[in-house]
Amino acid sequence: MLDLIIAGGTVVDGSGAPRLRADVGVAQGRITAVGDLRGQPARAHHDATGRIVCPGFIDVHTHDDRLLLGTPHGPHPKLTQGVTTVVTGNCGISLAPLLSATTPPAPLDLLGADDWRYARFGDYLDALQAARPALNAVCLVGHSTLRVRHVADLERPATPSEAARMAADLADALDAGASGLSTGLYYPPARAATAEEVIAVGAPLTAARGILTMHLRDEADAIDDALREALHIGRALGVEAVLSHHKLIGQRNHGRSVQTLAAVDAAAAHQPVCMDCYPYNASSTMLLAARVGQSSEVLVTWSRGDPSAAGRSLFALARERGCTPEALVEQLAPAGAVYFAMHEDDVRRILAHPLTMVGSDGLAHDAVPHPRLWGTFPRVLGHYAREQRLFPLETAVYKMTGLSARRFGLADRGMIAPGYAADIVVFDEAHVADRASFEHPTTPSIGIDAVFVNGHLACEQGRTVHAHAGQVLRRTTKLGPAYSSPGLAT
């Protein structure tokens, strides 16, 4: 007997193929049948008549490392969107391996001031599994986290011995089940790192067939050099390289996605490379004075220097206080911000590109977060697929499921097909939409009827039903104890 039949829906299977009318049968957390299941016995039925049934969405770019350890009260920012799997540890920032009794340097503090208590990455994975997370988790090791742990002076490149210790930590993490390495060369803790350092630290990825996700060193005037560097690192390691939240910042760079995407296409003919992006023309990260002049507006998302600034315009606050926005940054720091510095045409062009996956890049611990934390996936379905007709619904779903699973090596996720994990979303194609805005960024989306995680009904009509149905998805390729890092060339 089946545990569940999702009956009467229209299946968009995650491959990009045309939709079809079919029932979906589930047993022991797996999809066992797709077709006409009328008359087959099942312990539970879910009526999906008039609805789309598709794989659970895979958020390939998150900072949910700490969020997954707890049980959010009220609506869940990811389950309410139909997300069933998240990739954590992006932009060089992971919660492990790092022991710290004090708040680590920005941007690591985007994950919070505490919980830095995992000396080994495997300890974090074990704690996460013990917490029984709401979502499935694919976990990356952050290069910046490794630098804070091992590099004595963050203002210089790592020495050969420091790079060797970072590589040894990465190898240990990969053996424990980490899926790869992320970098954040844009940010202060890693800004001094050279490409050669990243290659030395990332050397264990090659044998483990791990993935490398890269926040480029620059997303503005020096985007071409930064892109070449990232592609060079990916080629040197011989692994899949993901260009994180690809975008163009600053007015004089608007429109340059034509050239950057052409460069990615040329590289893709010779090496594995892809991208992720979020469906908004505003970004969010730590509050940086260098970003102010590139932006038409800056909203403060949190501030330890002045918590009352959260949710306010930096420019308006500066006028009220009679100082420059750049001077105010120093008064508010450490802090986070939303920057309006991108052009919608670039967002559309990048989002529509065949190599682009969807990631929210949401910051779960911001006091007033970017709305992408709550609205990314319904926004792709509603605004870009249904209203803007940027691509068909089947393509939108593929970018959020099958493509992501294939690129991250999730062999049994991202498809509605027998044998695949029963991560399933049921939604109303005509009405699904994001409702989170910059004024009200935590408003849940609408049109997501039901979300199943590993066969369990986890969310229904925005209400969390099962907050512990997720699993830690560990990479199984092992390096073994014989691995030794080549370190950096002297």
Side-chain angles (χ1 to χ4, degrees), residues 25-33 412-413 417 419-422 454-455 471:
V26 174
Q28 297 183 336
R30 297 271 161 182
I31 298 169
T32 59
D412 62 347
R413 309 273 162 174
Y420 279 72
N454 294 308
Q471 301 174 1

Side-chain angles (χ1 to χ4, degrees), residues 11-22:
V11 171
V12 175
D13 69 5
S15 71
R19 63 188 72 188
L20 72 155
R21 158 65 182 85

Side-chain angles (χ1 to χ4, degrees), residues 2-13 20-27 29-38 40-49 51-56 415-426 452 455:
L2 294 172
D3 293 329
L4 169 70
I5 293 177
I6 300 173
T10 298
V11 171
V12 175
D13 69 5
L20 72 155
R21 158 65 182 85
D23 307 322
V24 178
V26 174
R30 297 271 161 182
I31 298 169
T32 59
V34 180
D36 187 350
L37 303 181
R38 285 175 294 185
Q40 289 204 28
R43 294 181 178 85
H45 287 77
H46 182 91
D47 184 6
T49 303
R51 297 295 191 257
I52 299 294
V53 179
C54 76
M415 287 279 291
I416 298 291
Y420 279 72
D423 296 337
I424 301 169
V425 178
V426 180
F452 297 87

Side-chain angles (χ1 to χ4, degrees), residues 67-71 124-134 467-470 472:
L67 176 70
L68 291 171
L69 291 167
T71 303
Y124 168 70
L125 295 181
D126 291 345
L128 185 55
Q129 187 62 56
R132 298 170 57 228
H468 300 284
V472 178

Side-chain angles (χ1 to χ4, degrees), residues 397-483:
V397 169
Y398 170 65
K399 285 176 168 292
M400 303 190 295
T401 58
L403 175 62
S404 307
R406 179 162 58 87
R407 291 295 189 170
F408 278 85
L410 306 178
D412 62 347
R413 309 273 162 174
M415 287 279 291
I416 298 291
Y420 279 72
D423 296 337
I424 301 169
V425 178
V426 180
F427 68 90
D428 182 347
E429 179 183 12
H431 296 101
V432 64
D434 61 305
R435 285 292 178 262
S437 65
F438 291 100
E439 295 75 24
H440 304 286
T442 62
T443 305
S445 301
I446 60 171
I448 304 290
D449 289 0
V451 183
F452 297 87
V453 179
N454 294 308
H456 299 281
L457 178 62
C459 184
E460 187 171 31
Q461 301 297 339
R463 180 178 62 89
T464 301
V465 177
H466 194 323
H468 300 284
Q471 301 174 1
V472 178
L473 305 182
R474 303 187 191 226
R475 182 173 287 273
T476 56
T477 303
K478 298 292 185 181
L479 283 173
Y483 173 78

